[in-house]
Amino acid sequence: MINNMTVKFSSLSENEAFARNVIASFLLPLDPGVDELSDIKTAVSEAVTNCVVHGYPDRAGEITMTAEIENELLHIKVVDEGVGIENVEEALKPFYTTRLNEERSGMGFAIIKAFTDKMTVLSEPGKGTTVEMFKRLSKAGA
Amino acid sequence: MDIKYVVEKNNLYIYLFGELDEHSAKTVKSRIDGLIDHNIGVKNAIFNFSHLTFMDSTGIGVLLGRYKRLKKMKVPVFIQSPSMSVGKILQISGLYEIMPKI
């Protein structure tokens, strides 16, 4: 079975919950486990929060989230056309943050990595950032 | 996000209700700081997460900030009843090392 969806929304912090709920609704027919669903919602929340806080630091821009499920394999893509990341390698390090005075943990990407099977980050300064997440679901199609 | 607290045997229990993310972080920070300041002299502070339905890494920053504030007052901090996902975040980030789960 292949199923997919795309949503576009503004980079407002209230849409962090919106994005989490959209992915949960999309996966609901597959009857995922509570913990599995919670992990995926957390990963999506991290990616979308990055767009809101870092991708568009001075204005509200557009965030596109796509999700595709083929058999048990879930593929989520969160895309912004914001400022991009100068040094992706640095940004991926746990506890790395560019906002030292804001009580931010710098753990966003580390959490996505831990909560999915695979994550890739593509970014170009001035063009934006694409975060892709892959996860094999345990119960999908069962 | 709703926050409630109880002081029992000079322990400050802080209950978080709902979802802690970037959107709610600012309010949560100022409300918890307010009730910490309101309860100076407590022996321990315990965050009870049994009603915290969601938290992402923004929560780590929020907790670290409150920890630093309480540490200055020499008040140890503990965590109670996190969900599986929240527990995983606390584990990965090393927060349990400074605020143990009880």
Side-chain angles (χ1 to χ4, degrees):
Chain A
M1 184 198 70
I2 299 177
N3 191 11
N4 67 76
M5 66 99 188
T6 301
V7 284
K8 282 180 191 286
F9 50 92
S10 306
S11 64
L12 301 171
S13 66
E14 49 262 58
N15 285 336
E16 293 156 10
F18 169 74
R20 294 197 292 271
N21 293 332
V22 166
I23 197 70
S25 304
F26 178 68
L27 296 175
L28 210 57
L30 301 168
D31 193 24
V34 176
D35 294 328
E36 192 168 46
L37 192 59
S38 193
D39 284 1
I40 295 162
K41 284 172 78 176
T42 306
V44 162
S45 194
E46 299 294 352
V48 170
T49 302
N50 278 345
C51 303
V52 173
V53 176
H54 302 288
Y56 301 106
D58 308 315
R59 67 182 175 98
E62 193 170 75
I63 300 170
T64 307
M65 177 169 78
T66 64
E68 187 179 272
I69 182 113
E70 187 175 355
N71 298 320
E72 298 92 27
L73 193 65
L74 172 66
H75 174 201
I76 304 169
K77 203 154 122 177
V78 176
V79 182
D80 73 59
E81 289 163 14
V83 299
I85 303 168
E86 289 285 344
N87 188 336
V88 174
E89 207 184 323
E90 278 287 301
L92 293 183
K93 288 182 183 162
F95 303 108
Y96 176 83
T97 179
T98 50
R99 309 279 187 95
L100 285 165
N101 52 349
E102 284 183 29
E103 291 186 352
R104 293 197 185 278
S105 69
M107 287 297 286
F109 283 133
I111 300 282
I112 298 177
K113 253 192 195 165
F115 280 44
T116 59
D117 298 333
K118 189 184 160 196
M119 171 192 75
T120 61
V121 180
L122 262 177
S123 190
E124 197 180 327
K127 294 256 171 80
T129 302
T130 297
V131 174
E132 291 189 77
M133 299 167 260
F134 301 84
K135 192 172 175 72
R136 187 168 291 279
L137 302 178
S138 57
K139 277 189 153 187
Chain B
M1 150 111 358
D2 205 9
I3 297 163
K4 286 181 181 149
Y5 78 94
V6 179
V7 180
E8 212 179 88
K9 292 180 182 160
N10 212 21
N11 294 315
L12 171 63
Y13 291 86
I14 301 164
Y15 293 83
L16 271 59
F17 292 78
E19 306 197 318
L20 174 51
D21 64 2
E22 217 276 308
H23 183 62
S24 59
K26 214 174 155 187
T27 322
V28 172
K29 282 179 194 175
S30 73
R31 291 195 50 199
I32 297 176
D33 286 348
L35 66 91
I36 289 171
D37 292 346
H38 187 72
N39 289 285
I40 288 171
V42 292
K43 203 165 61 188
N44 300 292
I46 300 106
F47 285 100
N48 185 298
F49 288 162
S50 54
H51 302 282
L52 182 68
T53 51
F54 179 84
M55 184 185 102
D56 60 21
S57 70
T58 308
I60 301 168
V62 172
L63 288 171
L64 265 179
R66 310 304 58 75
Y67 169 79
K68 284 178 187 161
R69 197 182 182 89
L70 286 156
K71 201 187 171 199
K72 273 185 201 155
M73 303 172 174
K74 300 198 176 0
V75 178
V77 184
F78 299 93
I79 306 271
Q80 216 172 28
S81 310
S83 70
M84 185 95 118
S85 283
V86 172
K88 219 150 99 178
I89 291 172
L90 297 170
Q91 187 84 52
I92 293 164
S93 61
L95 272 197
Y96 277 152
E97 283 160 38
I98 55 170
M99 40 183 100
K101 185 174 159 184
I102 53 164

